[in-house]
Amino acid sequence: MSSTFVIGDVHGCYHTLMNLVDKLPKDADLIFVGDLCDKGLYTKEVIEFVKSNNYRCVLGNHDVHMKLNLENALHGIDSTWSKNKMFAGDATVNSYKKATRLIVKEHIAWLKSLPQYIEIGNFLITHGFALPFYKSKLKKREFYMRVNRISNTTYNQFYEKDYEKYDIINIFGHDAFNEVLVGKNYYGIDTNCKNGNKLTAIELGSMKIIDVKTNRKDLNNE
């Protein structure tokens, strides 16, 4: 039986992702926590790799902006996503400038098909810190599961205070840490690849952590 690894926010860092995949078992099943795009220079290659291998992925907040704005940006219609350095969507736009119209449409359609979360046994895989909303009946429950940060004490204490008692383990990205954040029933695995730190994978079950340093090729033109 093959092992399953969940991979943190890649943010267009294709060479780093390939270095990480090389360290994983060849038959490993991979799941991504979203934010495949922006920041790094190779969003198109990252998405094509995940899509063409039929790997599972949840929708990240950056992925939402990409699917809504990429086609317009490629036609010169800018948005906050493509112009604001906080999003760094310009890196994604640049990575698609030489892509065919078919590839652009296929990648956007694929992003639109992504789920907000994935449950496997007692593992809950999300983009944002989702435990405070796991049992919620809010209409915007899935939105919060995508964008919530563990540092957002207002949400985390107000909505559900007893999430550490749940028999479920939340593996999420979105919040960037230098090392994997390990809690009683959660793991934050965005280890700030986009800013030159490292990209991390965690194995379901054993909770073994494997990581690689960010490849500088992904962040500049060297």
Side-chain angles (χ1 to χ4, degrees), residues 119-124 167-170:
E119 286 193 74
I120 302 175
N122 67 326
F123 292 102
L124 174 66
D167 186 24
I168 194 160
I169 298 171
N170 186 199

Side-chain angles (χ1 to χ4, degrees), residues 83-94:
K83 297 296 288 185
N84 192 317
K85 294 299 181 182
M86 178 182 72
F87 293 103
D90 58 326
T92 296
V93 176
N94 288 335

Side-chain angles (χ1 to χ4, degrees), residues 103-114:
I103 288 176
V104 172
K105 288 189 175 297
E106 286 180 346
H107 285 196
I108 291 174
W110 181 78
L111 288 175
K112 289 179 177 179
S113 74
L114 297 183

